[in-house]
Amino acid sequence: MNTSASVLSDKLHAVQARIAAACAASVRRADSVRLLAVSKTFSADDVRQVAACGQLDFGENYIQEGIDKITALQGDAQSLVWHCIGPIQSNKTKLVAEHFDWVHAIDRLKIAQRLNDQRPAHLAPLNVCLQVNIDGGDTKSGIAPADVLALAREVAQLPRLSLRGLMTIPDPVDGFDAQVAVHAKAGALFDSVKTALNLPQFDTLSMGMTGDLEAAIHAGSTMARVGTAIFGGRTYIAQ
């Protein structure tokens, strides 16, 4: 799937304007929220076009698809930062450790340990976030809020990982106030864990997507994961 450069540029700038407006409404600096462009199911050429507009962070849910794009773009976009934002099975940790810069979906110590052990020595420590099932959704991945601090303490001890924060994907709710209420729970949890750990690098609350971007920023998101509003609707493929 390929989209014209002008359309992608317009969409990216519209999202950036939404982030700036949401930050202003929440009395926050516009640069306090990092935009993560979720490029899953879209082509390396689409990523290249968006990167040409200055976007550096890209998120992939499907590991092999993401690696294919990382490989395809290595020659002309070496400054891109790649985030693995989907679930990781044990047999895929080596691939993730070798190719990605960030992992957002750690919810088990076993996966964190494998990523740590398989991170190549010549690369910087892998930036990781713990995925939290903040609203208790039955079908959602992530650890329970009550278990976050214990896992965070263990992950923080792994030398080839850098624990950066928390990630959430709550179930959709209608209305700005309802969205803020859910995200505010994650914001409060993030603040409490940050205080308890006292880690300078614990600075990332990965929260908010196309449909709830403004509410997430109002509640304290520092990294918004936006795909549809930049790349358009998706055609999913079997993995």
Side-chain angles (χ1 to χ4, degrees):
M1 180 182 305
N2 294 94
T3 308
S4 73
S6 61
V7 169
L8 289 171
S9 176
D10 289 346
K11 288 179 175 290
L12 175 65
H13 292 150
V15 171
Q16 292 170 334
R18 284 179 62 186
I19 291 174
C23 288
S26 303
V27 196
R28 298 179 58 185
R29 289 172 40 177
D31 62 1
S32 67
V33 178
R34 186 171 174 177
L35 173 59
L36 174 55
V38 180
S39 46
K40 65 178 182 181
T41 80
F42 290 90
S43 70
D45 190 56
D46 287 330
V47 172
R48 185 180 289 110
Q49 301 284 8
V50 173
C53 300
Q55 176 63 29
L56 298 180
D57 291 274
F58 291 88
E60 291 287 331
N61 288 60
Y62 308 129
I63 293 167
Q64 189 56 57
E65 179 192 336
I67 291 172
D68 290 344
K69 293 175 197 174
I70 293 169
T71 302
L73 294 170
Q74 276 179 341
D76 58 8
Q78 295 183 19
S79 61
L80 298 188
V81 180
W82 292 95
H83 301 244
C84 181
I85 60 176
I88 304 173
Q89 297 176 334
S90 295
N91 63 348
K92 297 291 181 67
T93 54
K94 187 172 188 292
L95 290 172
V96 174
E98 290 176 343
H99 291 89
F100 285 86
D101 304 295
W102 284 71
V103 171
H104 288 235
I106 290 181
D107 59 5
R108 289 175 289 161
L109 181 59
K110 175 184 176 181
I111 296 298
Q113 289 174 326
R114 289 179 64 87
L115 290 169
N116 176 79
D117 296 344
Q118 295 168 337
R119 182 69 168 174
H122 70 278
L123 296 178
L126 182 63
N127 297 296
V128 300
C129 293
L130 306 184
Q131 183 173 354
V132 185
N133 188 353
I134 196 65
D135 57 348
D138 292 336
T139 62
K140 290 294 176 68
S141 300
I143 57 176
D147 299 327
V148 169
L149 182 56
L151 179 58
R153 290 190 190 280
E154 293 182 287
V155 172
Q157 299 303 311
L158 298 173
R160 300 299 299 147
L161 303 184
S162 178
L163 180 59
R164 297 296 299 270
L166 307 180
M167 185 269 264
T168 65
I169 313 175
D171 287 329
V173 293
D174 293 328
F176 180 80
D177 290 344
Q179 292 172 349
V180 170
V182 174
H183 289 312
K185 295 178 182 178
L189 178 63
F190 173 81
D191 288 342
S192 67
V193 174
K194 181 176 178 65
T195 298
L197 293 178
N198 194 29
L199 292 176
Q201 76 270 21
F202 194 87
D203 59 3
T204 302
L205 181 53
S206 173
M207 180 172 76
M209 299 184 288
T210 295
D212 59 357
L213 176 62
E214 287 80 7
I217 290 174
H218 186 80
S221 172
T222 68
M223 184 177 290
R225 308 181 308 272
V226 179
T228 301
I230 296 173
F231 291 99
R234 292 184 173 86
T235 300
Y236 287 93
I237 57 177
Q239 293 293 315

